[in-house]
Amino acid sequence: MALVIGIPRETYPEEKRVATVPEVVEKLIKLGFAVTVESGAGDAANFSDDSYRAAGAQIAESAAQVWATADIMFKVRAPNAQELAQIREGTTLISFIWPAQNPELMQQLAAKKVTVLAIDALPRQLSRAQKMDALTSMAGISGYRAVIEAANAFGRFFNGQITAAGKIPPAKVFIAGAGVAGLAAIGTAANLGAIVRANDTRPEVADQVKSLGGEFVKVDYEEEGSGGGGYAKVMSEGFQQAQREMYAKQAREADIIITTALIPGKPAPKLITAEMVQSMKPGSVIVDMAGEQGGNCELTVPGEAVVRHGVTIIGYTDLPSRLAKQSSTLYASNLLRLTEELCKTKDGNINVNMDDDAIRGLTVIKNGEITWPAPPIKMPAPAPVAAKPAVAPPPKAPAHGAPSEPMSGTRLAVLFGIAAALFWLVGAYAPAAFIGHFTVFVLACFIGYMVVWNVTPALHTPLMSVTNAISSIIAIGALVQVAPPLAAGAERPDDWIRWLAVIGIVLTAINMFGGFAVTRRMLAMFRK
C-alpha cells in the first residue's frame, strides 16, 4: 500500500515557506505516493489550495487531520510542542532539526518512536548529495536577500554615478564569510555596482570571491580554516586577534557589512564588536545573517532591525522566508530528490537504508533510537600516482657512415627533385587554366593560414579559424569563376558554372558571418 506524504502549514512565527509545491506534488504521485496538504499551507508562498488539487493532492481541513493520516511528514521548521503531541508512532519526519542545538527535541522525538531525517545533517562532502542539499539552497537565497535588505536600509545607490548634480561614489560592501551565502551576497552586490570585499578563514575560496567580482581580504596570519562539510572551524586566539584588527579596519571603511559566519553546533562567533559599530560612518548598515544563532555582531537583536550609533543592524532570522515562493520551490526539489533516493522502486514505499552514506548521515533517529551523530564517512583513498616512466637516454651519435635520424642533405635533395619533376609533369601536360587555379589554391591556403589562424584565440576559436580559412578558399575560387581574368580570345565560362559560383559565395558568406555572430554571442555570455 502506498504511503501518504503530509504537508502541514508551518506554525513558526513569520514562516512563509511550505515544504512542497504543486509542481513537485505531481512528481511525488508518480513515485507512487499519496499527498495530503493542509488547507492554506501554501498561501503565504502564493500556492493556492486549488493549485495543489490540480496537481493531485488531497486537501485536509486541519493540521490534526494531516498528522493523523500521514506516514511521512515534510516540514520546513522543526516541530513545536503542539505538533509533537500529534505525531504518530512509526511516522517518518523529514525537516530541518539541528540536532546539535536541540538535544531536548531529539529526546522527545525518540520517545515518540519515529524516524527522523534531518535535512541539515546531510553529508555535504558527498558529491551525489548536492541535489538534496537544502542548506545550500536556502543559504544562496539568504545571501541574495541580505543584499536586498541592505540596499533597502542604505541611503545611497550601490553603483557609482556621475550626474549633472555631482558625483556619487559606489558603495563599499564588506562580507565576512565566503560560504554559499557569502558568495551569493558577493555576486549580488557586485552586480549592483558596489565595491565588494570579502574575507573567509578558508583560503581556497579566494578564487571564487574574485570570480564573482569581489576582492579577497586576507588576514595577516597563517592558519588553515577549513572545518569540513563546507563549514569553517574555530580558529586559534592568534588568528582571531589578527582577524579582529582586519575587521576593525574594514568597519571604518565599509558602508555595508554582511556577516555569514556559522560553526556547526556552536553559537555564532562574535566578529563585529560594539567599538567597530561605533567607528562606522553614520547611515551604514550591518546585515547579520547569523542572527538565529546569536549573531556575529555584539549589538544584533535576533529577528529585528535596530539602530545603534547611527548604524542600522539587521538581524532578521527569516531571510529565506522573505522570498517564500522561490525558497519553497527549491526546498521542495531537494526533498523530492531525497524521496527518490528513499524510494528507488517507485512503488510509494521508502527504505531508510543505513548502509547508504547520504541516508545514514541524514537519519538522526531510526524507529525511536537516536543514531546521531553519524560515523565519519570513509572517503575512497586517492588512486595511487603512477610512477613516471624512466626517461630514455638520448641516442648516441651514429658512427661514421651509419644512417642518421635527421633527414640528410642527400635525401632532402632527392625529395625536392621528385617534387620538381611532378610539378614539371603537371605544367607540361595540364591545361593552362589548371595551373592558374592551382596557383590561386596554394596562395589562398597560405594566406588563410597566416592571416586567420594567428588571430587571438579569445576572439576567434581554432575551429572558427579552420572554418573561415576553408571558406576563404571557397570564396576566392568562386569569385574567380564569376569574373575570371580572360586572355585574348578566351571564352567565358558557362552560365551554370557562374551561377554555381554565385551560390557558393552566398553560402560561404552565411557560414562566415554566422560564425562570427555565434562567437560574439558566446563572448557576450562572459561579460557583465
Side-chain angles (χ1 to χ4, degrees):
M1 183 177 176
L3 300 180
V4 177
I5 296 176
I7 313 295
R9 182 202 296 260
E10 296 296 323
T11 57
Y12 191 86
E14 303 300 324
E15 181 57 71
K16 298 178 181 179
R17 289 173 292 177
V18 62
T20 198
V21 298
E23 179 184 353
V24 172
V25 167
E26 295 178 357
K27 298 175 182 178
L28 292 171
I29 292 173
K30 288 181 180 179
L31 288 175
F33 296 97
V35 181
T36 300
V37 181
E38 181 185 351
S39 179
D43 287 350
N46 296 317
F47 297 109
S48 65
D49 289 349
D50 289 339
S51 64
Y52 283 107
R53 285 194 187 95
Q58 298 293 321
I59 302 299
E61 295 303 322
S62 65
Q65 186 178 346
V66 178
W67 286 98
T69 59
D71 304 294
I72 304 170
M73 295 298 296
F74 283 3
K75 276 186 57 58
V76 179
R77 296 276 187 170
N80 57 21
Q82 182 180 358
E83 291 169 328
L84 279 172
Q86 299 179 82
I87 194 168
R88 293 185 298 113
E89 180 177 336
T91 301
T92 298
L93 173 65
I94 303 177
S95 174
F96 282 102
I97 298 295
W98 304 107
Q101 289 93 329
N102 298 302
E104 184 179 348
L105 173 63
M106 291 285 288
Q107 294 296 334
Q108 292 171 338
L109 287 168
K112 287 287 186 176
K113 304 295 183 183
V114 297
T115 296
V116 180
L117 276 67
I119 199 69
D120 50 89
L122 180 75
R124 303 171 79 184
Q125 62 268 41
L126 295 176
S127 58
R128 69 182 185 85
Q130 293 177 1
K131 61 185 179 182
M132 302 178 275
D133 191 357
L135 280 175
T136 295
S137 300
M138 298 302 103
I141 293 175
S142 298
Y144 173 87
R145 185 68 191 194
V147 176
I148 302 303
E149 294 293 342
N152 182 55
F154 190 50
R156 293 205 327 261
F157 296 142
F158 264 48
N159 62 320
Q161 296 185 17
I162 298 177
T163 69
K167 181 180 179 181
I168 302 173
K172 295 180 180 179
V173 179
F174 177 70
I175 297 173
V180 176
L183 292 173
I186 291 168
T188 305
N191 287 336
L192 288 174
I195 297 173
V196 184
R197 296 172 180 164
N199 168 260
D200 198 279
T201 58
R202 297 158 292 186
E204 63 268 18
V205 304
D207 290 338
Q208 300 176 44
V209 171
K210 294 175 183 176
S211 70
L212 290 170
E215 175 190 348
F216 187 78
V217 182
K218 191 175 184 297
V219 177
D220 190 16
Y221 194 97
E222 295 297 330
E223 184 175 348
E224 173 58 40
S226 297
Y231 293 99
K233 69 175 185 180
V234 179
M235 307 300 287
S236 67
E237 181 56 37
F239 181 93
Q240 292 181 33
Q241 177 60 33
Q243 188 182 53
R244 283 192 290 270
E245 294 173 0
M246 183 270 289
Y247 282 163
K249 178 182 177 182
Q250 294 299 323
R252 291 191 296 269
E253 297 177 358
D255 299 305
I256 296 169
I257 295 178
I258 298 175
T259 64
T260 70
L262 284 173
I263 298 173
K266 297 181 181 295
K270 299 300 180 184
L271 305 178
I272 308 299
T273 64
E275 290 77 12
M276 295 180 193
V277 175
Q278 193 168 3
S279 71
M280 296 180 71
K281 292 171 282 190
S284 299
V285 179
I286 297 175
V287 181
D288 193 340
M289 295 179 61
E292 195 165 356
Q293 303 300 328
N296 296 135
C297 176
E298 289 183 348
L299 303 181
T300 295
V301 178
E304 299 182 19
V306 297
V307 179
R308 299 288 185 269
H309 306 295
V311 178
T312 301
I313 304 173
I314 298 173
Y316 295 149
T317 59
D318 61 343
L319 289 174
S321 186
R322 289 171 180 258
L323 289 170
K325 186 165 188 175
Q326 182 69 78
S327 55
S328 296
T329 301
L330 292 180
Y331 183 65
S333 296
N334 294 139
L335 295 192
L336 171 65
R337 301 308 171 198
L338 171 58
T339 307
E340 290 174 343
E341 292 293 317
L342 294 170
C343 180
K344 293 184 177 180
T345 55
K346 299 183 180 181
D347 59 354
N349 291 281
I350 62 172
N351 174 29
V352 182
N353 181 12
M354 300 298 275
D355 293 328
D356 184 314
D357 287 335
I359 303 303
R360 175 64 186 89
L362 285 167
T363 307
V364 295
I365 299 175
K366 177 71 179 293
N367 297 327
E369 179 184 352
I370 296 178
T371 59
W372 184 87
I377 296 175
K378 295 180 181 179
M379 302 301 290
V385 179
K388 294 183 178 180
V391 179
K396 295 181 179 180
H400 179 70
S404 59
E405 285 297 321
M407 185 179 294
S408 64
T410 304
R411 294 178 62 187
L412 189 61
V414 170
L415 288 177
F416 270 109
I418 294 173
L422 290 174
F423 277 110
W424 179 81
L425 289 172
V426 170
Y429 297 100
F434 176 81
I435 298 299
H437 293 325
F438 186 72
T439 303
V440 171
F441 174 76
V442 172
L443 289 176
C445 289
F446 178 75
I447 294 172
Y449 177 82
M450 296 303 295
V451 175
V452 183
W453 191 266
N454 290 309
V455 176
T456 304
L459 303 176
H460 205 7
T461 65
L463 180 60
M464 283 294 300
S465 299
V466 175
T467 302
N468 285 333
I470 296 173
S471 298
S472 301
I473 297 169
I474 297 172
I476 292 173
L479 288 171
V480 170
Q481 293 297 332
V482 170
L486 296 177
E491 295 182 1
R492 289 188 174 274
D494 295 337
D495 286 342
W496 69 271
I497 294 178
R498 296 176 63 188
W499 283 112
L500 189 62
V502 170
I503 294 172
I505 293 172
V506 172
L507 295 178
T508 303
I510 293 173
N511 182 57
M512 293 176 68
F513 287 103
F516 280 113
V518 170
T519 302
R520 183 181 181 86
R521 292 184 64 181
M522 290 174 62
L523 293 174
M525 294 171 61
F526 297 95
R527 299 193 185 101
K528 283 190 176 181

